[in-house]
Amino acid sequence: SFRDNITQVCESLLPSPPKFVAGTLVRGKQNKRAIRNNYAGRVGLVMPDGGNGFVRVAWVGDDSYSKRFGYPTFPERDLEVAS
């Protein structure tokens, strides 16, 4: 694959660790993308098998996708730790 600079090469060989580990309780931030995709302010549990800046989240009280298609992925930058 094609890499433009040394940062991209390093990232492809040794990806940075995930921002949230599996089992972390997260909340959707109040930003434009989260509001548009309807997960702003929602609370969920991070599931395994994320990567590349994305995490799989099982939202509290949501059965629509989790049982039929697996857990959808969301950008790490749109989530924060729920404390």
Side-chain angles (χ1 to χ4, degrees):
S1 64
F2 182 76
R3 306 285 181 230
D4 275 342
N5 58 33
I6 192 68
T7 304
Q8 292 173 346
V9 172
C10 292
E11 185 69 27
S12 69
L13 295 175
L14 183 63
S16 56
K19 186 175 178 182
F20 306 107
V21 296
T24 304
L25 195 63
V26 295
R27 178 180 34 241
K29 288 184 179 177
Q30 293 292 329
N31 61 19
K32 191 185 233 181
R33 180 182 20 251
I35 292 169
R36 183 174 48 234
N37 291 320
N38 231 3
Y39 59 91
R42 294 180 68 188
V43 176
L45 191 65
V46 174
M47 305 305 284
D49 295 333
N52 279 344
F54 289 85
V55 292
R56 293 192 182 277
V57 179
W59 299 111
V60 173
D62 182 25
D63 294 348
S64 60
Y65 294 107
S66 58
K67 293 184 180 173
R68 290 182 283 168
F69 304 112
Y71 298 102
T73 58
F74 298 92
E76 288 179 340
R77 65 181 177 263
D78 291 347
L79 302 171
E80 59 190 4
V81 175
S83 52

